[in-house]
Amino acid sequence: MIGGGQGAFIGAIHRIAARIDDEYELVAGAFSSDAEKAKASGLLLGLKPERVYTSYKELIEKEKQLPEGERVQVISIVTPNHVHFEPTKLALENGFHVILDKPMTFSLDEAKELEKVVKSSGKLFCLTHTYTGYPMVKEARQIVKSGKLGAIRKVYVEYPQGWLSTFLEGEDNKQASWRTDPGKSGIAGAMGDIGTHAFNLSEYVTGLQVTKVNADINIVVEGRKLDDDGAVLLKYNNGASGVLTASQIAAGDENNIKIRVYGEKGSIEWQQDIANTLLVKWLDKPAEVWRTGGGYTSSYVTSNMRAPAGHPEGYLEAFANLYKNFAQSVKAQIEGKTATPEALDFPGIDDGVRGMAFVENVIASGKSEKKWTDFVI
Amino acid sequence: MIGGGQGAFIGAIHRIAARIDDEYELVAGAFSSDAEKAKASGLLLGLKPERVYTSYKELIEKEKQLPEGERVQVISIVTPNHVHFEPTKLALENGFHVILDKPMTFSLDEAKELEKVVKSSGKLFCLTHTYTGYPMVKEARQIVKSGKLGAIRKVYVEYPQGWLSTFLEGEDNKQASWRTDPGKSGIAGAMGDIGTHAFNLSEYVTGLQVTKVNADINIVVEGRKLDDDGAVLLKYNNGASGVLTASQIAAGDENNIKIRVYGEKGSIEWQQDIANTLLVKWLDKPAEVWRTGGGYTSSYVTSNMRAPAGHPEGYLEAFANLYKNFAQSVKAQIEGKTATPEALDFPGIDDGVRGMAFVENVIASGKSEKKWTDFVI
Amino acid sequence: MIGGGQGAFIGAIHRIAARIDDEYELVAGAFSSDAEKAKASGLLLGLKPERVYTSYKELIEKEKQLPEGERVQVISIVTPNHVHFEPTKLALENGFHVILDKPMTFSLDEAKELEKVVKSSGKLFCLTHTYTGYPMVKEARQIVKSGKLGAIRKVYVEYPQGWLSTFLEGEDNKQASWRTDPGKSGIAGAMGDIGTHAFNLSEYVTGLQVTKVNADINIVVEGRKLDDDGAVLLKYNNGASGVLTASQIAAGDENNIKIRVYGEKGSIEWQQDIANTLLVKWLDKPAEVWRTGGGYTSSYVTSNMRAPAGHPEGYLEAFANLYKNFAQSVKAQIEGKTATPEALDFPGIDDGVRGMAFVENVIASGKSEKKWTDFVI
Amino acid sequence: MIGGGQGAFIGAIHRIAARIDDEYELVAGAFSSDAEKAKASGLLLGLKPERVYTSYKELIEKEKQLPEGERVQVISIVTPNHVHFEPTKLALENGFHVILDKPMTFSLDEAKELEKVVKSSGKLFCLTHTYTGYPMVKEARQIVKSGKLGAIRKVYVEYPQGWLSTFLEGEDNKQASWRTDPGKSGIAGAMGDIGTHAFNLSEYVTGLQVTKVNADINIVVEGRKLDDDGAVLLKYNNGASGVLTASQIAAGDENNIKIRVYGEKGSIEWQQDIANTLLVKWLDKPAEVWRTGGGYTSSYVTSNMRAPAGHPEGYLEAFANLYKNFAQSVKAQIEGKTATPEALDFPGIDDGVRGMAFVENVIASGKSEKKWTDFVI
């Protein structure tokens, strides 16, 4: 693991996700550039001192020198956005599979560069768009894919948060500080942090691609340097339209990312707060409440859950599904087999490139006086 | 009553609304231009045959000739949009108070003309934006007004319907036919029919006014002549931004109009499906579930409900609140008194003018390549 | 109308219910035994002074003397429980149809006596168990009846209120006073007031009859004279078991009466708070959300609703359904026709007798040391 | 770990729970008495072959012989009920801390015997009543304890499942087979399997103890040998009354265990399906929606959650909380420190003894003709 030392939020989440299905063992880490802090984090996590490094370069270099059965196979990178590209590139080029936190890079240019690296490396790459790890999000995608809803016509996707309603970055809040700092997060705040999740979710569930955007991007809290609120009108490649909203000043809201997709014959609705439920609505018959663990769901649900119906699984399990499916895909590669479609169903480099393109396109659109701008990569 | 003969949907709703609080007696009607139909409707409603007319002109003229204590005091007009302006004008000019179904007129020009008529007539005028008749919508407005949420920053308002997902106007469906017919509905379909409700709700609850729009207006169903779907980005006069969506092709959705308003310190959330509940969310304490009939609500709730807490009141009661409050205001005028603020809290000519301006502005924006257009009246 | 003068709660509700569908005109009343109060109430309601009476006897006697086309056809009786039997008996014996508020009488003996009167009178009788007027409650009954759920095995029905959590009868609260007064309410408090609703709902939806009870009846608030809380284990005549709870000390709860009925293959769930929804759950497929106004519902829904799907109807409309269906049945009788099954679907004398038997049986069981006691009438 | 070989449901759940917070390492197991199966399970779990045993006796004996730093510290026992007592006793007597799946033993006698063993052993013991591991269940307990609700008056607790609606034990279903087999489960089916959870939850949240029961215990599915449905009326030691229902024939229901506790001033409501929410209702102010991650919760919430507010945690995390808190308590004991109250807040031997007493008391009450029977241990 690169990043994720003591006090870091997302690093701890990654480690839980990796442990849940027992497919990973954490054996090495570059948790901090401060040797003392790195050591302390490593100790706490039970690593051998010699495999606690003080830079990602050192980690990659030294691990590579270890015998194959001993060195790490997968490297998780959980640093802030501005330290995504270099370690990922280095890891891939040195033969390690990589799991990277989103948004993928600091800029679209880096993203496109990374795409080349992934493709030439032959290594597997996972970008942690966690929400696509939820079983019922996967089922939503399968239902759309099956054609049961007919052609898709409309998409509403929203990610309302309230935690940045005040000038939290002025109060020594680590999370708020780097996420609102252009030097660490890039050109976007809310749009990069949560807008990319909403965007990715919409393309994942519908199987469509955004082709045009028309964005209203706002900095609401005085003194803030990056957008903390925005709404984007979308056009998809089949002619459908969509509305994406992402806000960090939705006072009183937590993280209830929600998507509704409407087809000719019916629609689906999912939201994180009731993650184990997928509402499937129809033009001419009662809406149906699809549930994780229901006997009628596809293999994309059954292979991504652990407890019987009615025992809720949540965010950490969705995250774990990314790790588990990635592990199974890595194993298949090692064994020279083809991984199952369910195992291969994790977000990758294409999602990452499109996500960074989303960031650049919507920020540009937000500044433009032109209504619709093409979604360019 | 003008319009609302047998088979008409909204006329029957108006009559129920008028009856619920026993403030009105239906004594005259011009239900249809077809004499036989008019007569049959009148008979069914128990009217005296001599007060069943075959045109609004006849109704207004003849009723005017009756002695003051005998003639109608209030005229309800429930015809399709293209027959709103003339009868309303005539009724007002001849000394009758008017309750008119929305959207107010066929065009903004008519609306502005009507504004003059209302103001010069000295008569009272109510436009049935029903949703503002819900007690908890009124409470939402009071909470915003009180300043408890701080300055308003963001508004989400949505009205998703699915009933026009197919080409219903091709199937001898009376409602679908006139609502999708430019000759009867005017330049807008969904935006006029339900978009105006969403728009009105957002201005009513926030007390703000829209100043700019950026609209994506779509005809989704092949062959349809008016928009059946749209999304509008909004700017309000205090700098807040908003997102309004209205769709009639949201397959599987009914009429769950919903609004969320976010301020600096908290937010409110209301939706028609759980109309007796208002969710009040805060930055730093638990969200509160305000309920119709709770002892802590304002007079705007207690004066607009009838049954004890937990006995749900719905759409018809919200509609009845418009009628009841209008009646109380008319009575106060007749008695030379000032009506209470609660009684005067019904939608009127200003809402109507702004509603028609909304229609013209968003349809124009939908066709424009300019991103933001000023909201002009 | 007998009872229901100014300040009375349920009388006003009855009048709204009667008005909603325009099947009734209020023309006479004995609102109070105090002549001044009666007069004032009559004036407010727009009655002719000569038809405002000061006793039910006077009302019945004088109305009877009026010519047939002029005198009242239906008498609504909305007095406290101890003034139910006599006026109902007199009204029926003198040729009037009667709508009576529940619980039917002061005692089971009176109930059985009234049964004879109803049957010999040939007049129609409605007891206002309002909850069976909800469209989705009717649909629940139809679904059970259809056999889709298989044989019924288990029933949970609950009615939790919190309004009597304190000694409200000590605080000059009219409702609390008579409802906790054995001289006015009879031997039961909560069990009579709301327990009978829950009991009636369970027998109505399942089509079964209770044969045994095992009751825990409590007076929780110090100083109270009648039960304010209770739970009853039930056995039904097909062998199914049930649990009924009714409480008036469920602090924080309003009136969310709720029923769940489980069969061999599936179950239904309904609650007043989301009255327009019926949840239909299955062993082996997704639960279904049946909605008022959905195209797939039976005539028992479509004939008992007024606004399109998604415009919620509530308690007053459920109440109005009783009045409307009763009116249609009365009309059919007058015209010598057979009323439709939908019109005849209102609670009557059998429900009343069984309701009073419920009261006496559970109060007796509450005092008994025997576990199960037969449900005797 | 003892039990929990391949194909076992609860063993896998325990292992996930143990891994989530990284406080445990699985190093030894007696997964099956079949040497081949045991070996296979061990291999899959990455154990050293020499620490895969074929009986719990062998495991305990051999592990004991290992040096202190090397041998297991905690033994998890996840066998069916009839194999709980012996291995737990042996483990404790040989110096191991024990985590045991519920219900605790095969009989109350065993439970009382085990109580002595636990107390004399000086070792720590955890019984996995998982639901008390949910943060908002813990918060509910703290709120009751704080006195904010006043004295507790009424408890409703329910556990409705539908999975045994058919004769599943006749269809080669491993879970159904042992859970309905008196030889493996003891004298109770539903009451032991899920009734004990509901019972434990009610005593945990209220801090009260049941003193009397009045039970209706049913075998609904033909051919079944143990109860699959029941309802129990309860009296608590402060005079409050309660209703507990547990059913495995609630067709269409999953595992939505739910509790409502009513005090003089307010009430709390929690259900597994929305596990991160605690509804706190009041007599005279709006109900509050307490959420995991809200800044206003107690340390019992914050120390038992991992992801920020709005990222749902579920059943596995609740289970993990038991493991984590137990680990912290074990560590404290080893280090000679006093564990924090939060760490010590896991179900133990007293819960187990009371749970088995619940089973015996309600099964006896179910057979008795006496209404109320004392809750005896």
Side-chain angles (χ1 to χ4, degrees):
Chain A
M1 174 168 281
I2 293 169
Q6 283 177 275
F9 148 61
I10 204 69
I13 298 290
H14 275 257
R15 287 191 295 264
I16 294 173
R19 283 197 299 266
I20 282 180
D21 296 303
D22 207 17
E23 301 275 9
Y24 297 84
E25 195 181 350
L26 180 64
V27 290
F31 304 111
S32 173
S33 55
D34 176 320
E36 283 310 301
K37 281 190 187 169
K39 207 174 148 184
S41 293
L43 193 68
L44 212 71
L45 293 165
L47 299 201
K48 290 183 187 159
E50 65 269 27
R51 294 181 82 176
V52 177
Y53 308 97
T54 53
S55 78
Y56 68 82
K57 283 180 195 162
E58 192 196 354
L59 182 147
I60 291 165
E61 195 174 309
K62 296 246 175 101
E63 286 291 321
K64 201 187 168 186
Q65 291 164 9
L66 294 175
E68 205 175 324
E70 211 172 299
R71 69 169 172 249
V72 299
Q73 293 171 296
V74 173
I75 296 180
S76 283
I77 298 170
V78 298
T79 45
N81 308 356
H82 67 306
V83 196
H84 279 187
F85 175 71
E86 289 293 346
T88 305
K89 182 168 181 287
L90 202 64
L92 289 164
E93 289 175 346
N94 283 279
F96 298 102
H97 303 288
V98 171
I99 295 176
L100 175 61
D101 205 70
K102 51 59 44 193
M104 191 165 75
T105 49
F106 194 71
S107 69
L108 177 56
D109 281 347
E110 279 186 5
K112 290 193 281 191
E113 179 67 21
L114 197 57
E115 186 180 18
K116 289 179 207 155
V117 176
V118 169
K119 292 189 175 166
S120 66
S121 75
K123 294 294 150 186
L124 291 171
F125 173 80
C126 175
L127 187 71
T128 54
H129 275 303
T130 321
Y131 305 104
T132 63
Y134 275 109
M136 295 325 268
V137 168
K138 290 175 181 283
E139 193 72 354
R141 176 178 164 90
Q142 296 306 317
I143 289 173
V144 171
K145 210 174 179 178
S146 74
K148 283 177 196 160
L149 307 180
I152 297 310
R153 293 166 157 186
K154 192 84 197 179
V155 178
Y156 297 132
V157 62
E158 59 182 63
Y159 199 140
Q161 288 183 332
W163 73 292
L164 287 176
S165 288
T166 59
F167 192 64
L168 213 55
E169 57 268 51
E171 294 174 30
D172 192 30
N173 178 305
K174 188 176 171 178
Q175 288 300 320
S177 295
W178 81 259
R179 286 177 200 266
T180 61
D181 178 354
K184 291 185 175 159
S185 281
I187 60 170
M191 282 297 140
D193 197 12
I194 57 175
T196 48
H197 275 310
F199 169 77
N200 182 257
L201 183 61
S202 95
E203 292 202 341
Y204 175 77
V205 168
T206 62
L208 301 173
Q209 291 197 324
V210 168
T211 55
K212 284 175 194 294
V213 297
N214 170 359
D216 175 28
I217 304 296
N218 304 300
I219 296 178
V220 173
V221 173
E222 217 184 307
R224 184 154 292 156
K225 291 181 186 148
L226 291 174
D227 58 289
D228 48 19
D229 173 81
V232 191
L233 304 181
L234 305 166
K235 296 289 178 191
Y236 290 89
N237 57 345
N238 75 335
S241 61
V243 182
L244 179 154
T245 60
S247 184
Q248 295 175 318
I249 55 90
D253 281 1
E254 297 175 341
N255 279 289
N256 193 22
I257 181 172
K258 176 178 172 179
I259 186 165
R260 289 173 283 177
V261 174
Y262 298 90
E264 295 161 313
K265 302 174 197 166
S267 56
I268 58 94
E269 179 174 330
W270 178 87
Q271 56 187 300
Q272 186 173 219
D273 264 358
I274 42 171
N276 297 283
T277 292
L278 178 69
L279 200 56
V280 184
K281 295 177 281 185
W282 302 103
L283 265 188
D284 51 4
K285 53 182 181 175
E288 295 163 2
V289 184
W290 290 47
R291 295 272 295 164
T292 316
Y296 43 80
T297 57
S298 77
S299 59
Y300 286 83
V301 175
T302 49
S303 66
N304 284 291
M305 55 177 291
R306 296 147 192 87
H311 293 103
E313 298 191 34
Y315 174 75
L316 296 170
E317 288 84 358
F319 219 122
N321 288 335
L322 302 192
Y323 266 85
K324 171 185 65 71
N325 290 327
F326 191 70
Q328 291 176 355
S329 299
V330 167
K331 271 198 238 177
Q333 198 195 63
I334 291 171
E335 297 169 4
K337 295 181 187 163
T338 305
T340 63
E342 292 85 357
L344 289 168
D345 188 31
F346 59 82
I349 188 67
D350 293 346
D351 299 88
V353 172
R354 290 193 64 78
M356 291 313 300
F358 171 80
V359 167
E360 303 221 343
N361 278 285
V362 296
I363 296 299
S365 169
K367 290 177 182 157
S368 168
E369 291 191 11
K370 212 180 142 198
K371 192 170 180 175
W372 291 101
T373 54
D374 288 340
F375 188 93
V376 290
I377 298 189
Chain B
M1 174 169 282
I2 294 170
Q6 283 177 275
F9 150 61
I10 203 68
I13 298 290
H14 275 255
R15 288 191 295 265
I16 294 173
R19 281 196 301 267
I20 281 180
D21 295 304
D22 206 17
E23 301 275 9
Y24 297 85
E25 194 182 349
L26 180 64
V27 290
F31 303 112
S32 174
S33 54
D34 176 322
E36 282 311 300
K37 280 191 185 168
K39 207 172 148 185
S41 292
L43 193 69
L44 213 71
L45 293 165
L47 299 201
K48 291 183 185 161
E50 65 268 26
R51 295 181 81 176
V52 177
Y53 308 97
T54 52
S55 78
Y56 68 82
K57 284 180 193 162
E58 192 195 356
L59 182 148
I60 291 166
E61 197 174 306
K62 297 243 174 102
E63 286 292 320
K64 201 186 170 186
Q65 293 164 8
L66 295 175
E68 206 176 321
E70 211 172 299
R71 70 170 173 247
V72 299
Q73 293 172 297
V74 173
I75 296 180
S76 282
I77 299 170
V78 297
T79 44
N81 308 357
H82 67 306
V83 196
H84 279 187
F85 175 71
E86 289 294 346
T88 303
K89 182 168 183 287
L90 202 64
L92 289 164
E93 289 176 345
N94 282 279
F96 298 102
H97 303 288
V98 172
I99 296 176
L100 175 62
D101 206 70
K102 51 63 40 197
M104 191 164 76
T105 49
F106 193 72
S107 69
L108 177 55
D109 282 346
E110 280 186 5
K112 289 193 281 190
E113 179 67 21
L114 197 58
E115 187 180 20
K116 290 180 205 154
V117 176
V118 169
K119 292 192 172 162
S120 66
S121 75
K123 295 294 150 187
L124 292 171
F125 172 82
C126 175
L127 186 72
T128 54
H129 274 304
T130 320
Y131 305 104
T132 64
Y134 276 108
M136 295 325 269
V137 167
K138 290 175 181 284
E139 193 71 355
R141 176 179 165 90
Q142 296 307 316
I143 290 173
V144 171
K145 211 174 178 176
S146 74
K148 282 177 199 161
L149 307 181
I152 298 309
R153 292 165 159 186
K154 191 83 197 181
V155 178
Y156 297 132
V157 61
E158 59 182 62
Y159 200 139
Q161 289 183 332
W163 72 293
L164 287 176
S165 288
T166 58
F167 192 63
L168 214 55
E169 58 268 53
E171 295 174 30
D172 193 30
N173 179 304
K174 189 176 170 175
Q175 288 300 319
S177 295
W178 81 258
R179 288 177 199 267
T180 60
D181 178 353
K184 292 184 174 159
S185 282
I187 60 171
M191 281 295 139
D193 196 14
I194 57 174
T196 49
H197 275 310
F199 169 77
N200 182 257
L201 183 62
S202 95
E203 291 202 341
Y204 175 78
V205 169
T206 61
L208 301 174
Q209 292 197 324
V210 167
T211 55
K212 284 177 195 292
V213 298
N214 170 358
D216 175 27
I217 305 296
N218 305 300
I219 297 177
V220 172
V221 172
E222 216 185 308
R224 185 155 290 157
K225 291 182 187 147
L226 291 173
D227 58 289
D228 48 18
D229 174 81
V232 191
L233 304 182
L234 306 165
K235 296 290 178 189
Y236 290 90
N237 56 348
N238 75 336
S241 61
V243 182
L244 179 155
T245 60
S247 185
Q248 295 176 317
I249 54 90
D253 280 2
E254 297 175 341
N255 279 286
N256 194 21
I257 181 171
K258 176 177 174 180
I259 186 164
R260 288 173 283 177
V261 174
Y262 297 90
E264 295 162 314
K265 302 173 197 165
S267 56
I268 58 93
E269 179 174 330
W270 179 87
Q271 57 189 302
Q272 186 173 220
D273 263 359
I274 42 171
N276 296 283
T277 292
L278 178 69
L279 200 57
V280 184
K281 295 177 281 185
W282 302 103
L283 264 187
D284 51 4
K285 53 182 180 173
E288 296 163 1
V289 184
W290 290 47
R291 295 271 296 163
T292 317
Y296 43 80
T297 59
S298 77
S299 60
Y300 286 83
V301 175
T302 49
S303 66
N304 284 292
M305 56 176 291
R306 297 147 192 87
H311 293 103
E313 298 191 34
Y315 174 75
L316 296 171
E317 289 83 0
F319 219 122
N321 288 334
L322 302 192
Y323 266 86
K324 172 184 64 71
N325 290 328
F326 190 70
Q328 292 176 356
S329 298
V330 167
K331 271 198 238 177
Q333 198 196 63
I334 291 171
E335 297 170 4
K337 295 181 186 163
T338 306
T340 64
E342 292 84 357
L344 290 167
D345 188 32
F346 58 83
I349 187 68
D350 292 346
D351 299 271
V353 172
R354 290 193 63 77
M356 290 312 299
F358 171 79
V359 167
E360 303 220 344
N361 279 286
V362 296
I363 296 299
S365 169
K367 290 177 181 157
S368 167
E369 291 192 11
K370 212 180 141 196
K371 192 169 181 177
W372 291 102
T373 56
D374 288 340
F375 188 93
V376 291
I377 297 189
Chain C
M1 175 168 279
I2 294 169
Q6 285 177 273
F9 149 61
I10 203 71
I13 299 290
H14 275 256
R15 287 191 294 266
I16 294 173
R19 283 197 298 267
I20 281 180
D21 295 303
D22 207 19
E23 300 275 9
Y24 296 85
E25 194 181 350
L26 180 64
V27 290
F31 303 112
S32 173
S33 54
D34 176 322
E36 282 311 300
K37 281 190 187 167
K39 208 172 147 184
S41 292
L43 194 69
L44 211 73
L45 293 165
L47 298 201
K48 292 184 185 159
E50 66 268 24
R51 294 181 82 176
V52 177
Y53 310 98
T54 53
S55 78
Y56 67 83
K57 283 180 193 160
E58 192 194 355
L59 182 147
I60 291 166
E61 196 174 307
K62 296 245 174 100
E63 287 291 321
K64 203 188 168 184
Q65 292 164 9
L66 295 175
E68 206 176 323
E70 213 172 298
R71 70 171 171 247
V72 299
Q73 293 171 296
V74 172
I75 297 180
S76 281
I77 299 170
V78 298
T79 45
N81 308 358
H82 66 306
V83 196
H84 279 186
F85 175 71
E86 289 294 344
T88 305
K89 183 168 181 285
L90 202 64
L92 289 164
E93 289 176 346
N94 282 279
F96 299 102
H97 303 287
V98 171
I99 295 176
L100 175 61
D101 205 69
K102 52 63 36 197
M104 191 164 76
T105 49
F106 194 71
S107 68
L108 177 56
D109 282 346
E110 279 187 5
K112 289 193 281 189
E113 180 67 22
L114 197 58
E115 186 179 19
K116 289 180 205 154
V117 176
V118 169
K119 291 191 173 164
S120 66
S121 75
K123 295 294 149 188
L124 291 171
F125 173 81
C126 175
L127 186 72
T128 54
H129 274 304
T130 322
Y131 305 102
T132 63
Y134 276 108
M136 294 325 268
V137 168
K138 289 175 182 284
E139 193 72 355
R141 176 178 164 90
Q142 296 306 317
I143 290 173
V144 171
K145 211 173 177 177
S146 74
K148 282 177 198 160
L149 307 181
I152 297 309
R153 292 166 160 185
K154 191 84 198 182
V155 178
Y156 297 131
V157 61
E158 59 182 64
Y159 199 139
Q161 289 184 331
W163 73 292
L164 288 177
S165 288
T166 58
F167 192 65
L168 213 56
E169 57 268 54
E171 294 174 31
D172 193 31
N173 179 303
K174 190 178 169 176
Q175 289 300 319
S177 295
W178 81 258
R179 287 177 200 266
T180 61
D181 178 353
K184 292 184 175 159
S185 282
I187 58 170
M191 281 297 139
D193 197 14
I194 56 175
T196 48
H197 275 311
F199 169 77
N200 183 256
L201 183 61
S202 94
E203 291 203 341
Y204 175 78
V205 169
T206 61
L208 301 174
Q209 291 197 325
V210 167
T211 55
K212 285 177 194 292
V213 298
N214 170 0
D216 175 28
I217 305 296
N218 305 301
I219 297 179
V220 173
V221 173
E222 216 184 308
R224 185 153 292 156
K225 291 181 187 148
L226 291 173
D227 58 290
D228 49 18
D229 174 80
V232 190
L233 304 182
L234 306 165
K235 295 290 177 187
Y236 290 90
N237 57 346
N238 76 334
S241 60
V243 182
L244 179 155
T245 60
S247 185
Q248 296 176 316
I249 54 91
D253 281 1
E254 298 176 340
N255 279 287
N256 193 21
I257 182 172
K258 176 176 174 179
I259 187 165
R260 291 173 280 178
V261 174
Y262 297 90
E264 295 162 313
K265 302 173 198 165
S267 56
I268 60 91
E269 180 174 329
W270 178 87
Q271 57 187 301
Q272 187 173 220
D273 264 359
I274 43 171
N276 296 283
T277 291
L278 178 68
L279 200 56
V280 184
K281 295 177 281 186
W282 302 103
L283 265 188
D284 51 3
K285 53 183 181 175
E288 295 163 2
V289 184
W290 290 48
R291 295 272 296 164
T292 315
Y296 43 80
T297 59
S298 77
S299 59
Y300 286 84
V301 175
T302 49
S303 66
N304 285 292
M305 55 176 291
R306 297 149 191 86
H311 293 102
E313 298 191 34
Y315 174 75
L316 296 171
E317 288 83 358
F319 219 122
N321 288 335
L322 302 192
Y323 266 85
K324 172 185 64 70
N325 290 327
F326 190 70
Q328 292 177 355
S329 298
V330 166
K331 271 199 236 177
Q333 198 195 64
I334 290 171
E335 297 169 2
K337 294 180 185 163
T338 306
T340 63
E342 291 85 357
L344 289 168
D345 189 31
F346 59 81
I349 187 69
D350 293 346
D351 299 88
V353 172
R354 290 193 64 76
M356 290 313 299
F358 171 79
V359 168
E360 302 220 345
N361 278 286
V362 297
I363 296 300
S365 170
K367 290 177 181 155
S368 167
E369 291 192 12
K370 214 181 142 197
K371 192 169 181 178
W372 292 101
T373 54
D374 288 340
F375 188 92
V376 290
I377 298 188
Chain D
M1 174 168 281
I2 293 170
Q6 283 178 276
F9 149 60
I10 204 69
I13 298 290
H14 275 256
R15 287 191 294 264
I16 294 173
R19 283 196 299 265
I20 282 180
D21 296 303
D22 207 17
E23 300 276 9
Y24 296 84
E25 194 181 351
L26 180 64
V27 290
F31 303 112
S32 174
S33 54
D34 175 321
E36 282 311 300
K37 282 191 187 168
K39 206 172 149 185
S41 293
L43 193 69
L44 212 72
L45 293 164
L47 299 200
K48 291 184 187 158
E50 65 270 25
R51 294 181 81 177
V52 178
Y53 309 98
T54 54
S55 78
Y56 67 83
K57 283 180 194 163
E58 191 194 356
L59 181 147
I60 291 165
E61 197 173 308
K62 296 243 176 104
E63 286 292 322
K64 203 188 168 184
Q65 293 164 8
L66 294 175
E68 206 176 323
E70 210 172 302
R71 70 170 171 245
V72 297
Q73 293 172 296
V74 173
I75 297 180
S76 282
I77 299 171
V78 297
T79 44
N81 309 356
H82 67 306
V83 195
H84 280 187
F85 175 72
E86 288 294 345
T88 304
K89 183 168 182 285
L90 200 65
L92 289 164
E93 289 175 346
N94 282 280
F96 298 102
H97 303 288
V98 170
I99 296 177
L100 174 62
D101 205 70
K102 51 61 41 196
M104 191 164 76
T105 48
F106 193 72
S107 69
L108 177 55
D109 281 346
E110 280 186 5
K112 289 194 281 191
E113 179 66 21
L114 197 58
E115 186 180 20
K116 289 180 205 155
V117 176
V118 169
K119 292 191 173 164
S120 66
S121 75
K123 293 294 149 186
L124 292 171
F125 172 81
C126 175
L127 187 71
T128 54
H129 275 303
T130 322
Y131 305 103
T132 63
Y134 276 109
M136 294 325 267
V137 168
K138 291 175 180 283
E139 193 72 355
R141 176 179 166 90
Q142 296 305 316
I143 289 173
V144 171
K145 210 173 177 178
S146 74
K148 282 176 198 160
L149 307 180
I152 297 309
R153 292 165 159 187
K154 192 84 197 181
V155 178
Y156 298 131
V157 62
E158 59 182 63
Y159 199 139
Q161 289 183 332
W163 73 293
L164 287 176
S165 288
T166 58
F167 192 64
L168 214 55
E169 58 268 51
E171 295 174 29
D172 193 30
N173 178 303
K174 187 177 171 177
Q175 288 300 318
S177 295
W178 81 258
R179 286 176 200 267
T180 60
D181 178 353
K184 292 183 175 161
S185 282
I187 59 170
M191 282 297 139
D193 196 13
I194 57 176
T196 49
H197 275 310
F199 169 77
N200 182 257
L201 184 62
S202 95
E203 292 202 340
Y204 175 77
V205 169
T206 62
L208 301 174
Q209 290 197 326
V210 168
T211 56
K212 283 175 195 294
V213 297
N214 170 0
D216 176 27
I217 304 297
N218 304 300
I219 296 177
V220 172
V221 173
E222 218 184 306
R224 185 154 291 155
K225 290 183 188 146
L226 291 173
D227 59 289
D228 48 20
D229 174 80
V232 191
L233 305 181
L234 305 165
K235 296 290 178 189
Y236 290 90
N237 56 346
N238 76 335
S241 61
V243 182
L244 179 155
T245 59
S247 184
Q248 295 175 319
I249 54 90
D253 281 1
E254 297 174 342
N255 280 288
N256 193 20
I257 182 171
K258 176 178 174 179
I259 186 164
R260 289 173 283 177
V261 175
Y262 297 90
E264 295 162 313
K265 303 172 196 165
S267 56
I268 58 93
E269 180 175 330
W270 178 87
Q271 57 188 299
Q272 187 173 218
D273 263 359
I274 43 172
N276 297 283
T277 293
L278 178 69
L279 200 56
V280 185
K281 296 178 281 186
W282 302 102
L283 265 187
D284 52 4
K285 53 182 180 175
E288 295 163 2
V289 184
W290 290 47
R291 294 273 294 165
T292 316
Y296 43 81
T297 58
S298 77
S299 59
Y300 286 84
V301 175
T302 50
S303 66
N304 285 291
M305 56 177 290
R306 296 148 192 87
H311 292 103
E313 299 191 34
Y315 174 75
L316 296 171
E317 288 84 358
F319 218 122
N321 288 335
L322 302 191
Y323 266 86
K324 171 185 64 69
N325 290 327
F326 190 71
Q328 292 176 355
S329 298
V330 166
K331 272 198 235 175
Q333 198 196 62
I334 290 170
E335 296 169 4
K337 295 180 187 165
T338 306
T340 64
E342 292 85 357
L344 289 168
D345 189 30
F346 59 82
I349 186 69
D350 293 346
D351 299 88
V353 172
R354 289 194 64 77
M356 290 313 300
F358 171 79
V359 167
E360 303 221 343
N361 279 285
V362 297
I363 296 298
S365 169
K367 290 177 182 157
S368 168
E369 291 192 10
K370 212 180 143 197
K371 192 170 181 175
W372 292 101
T373 54
D374 288 340
F375 188 92
V376 290
I377 297 188

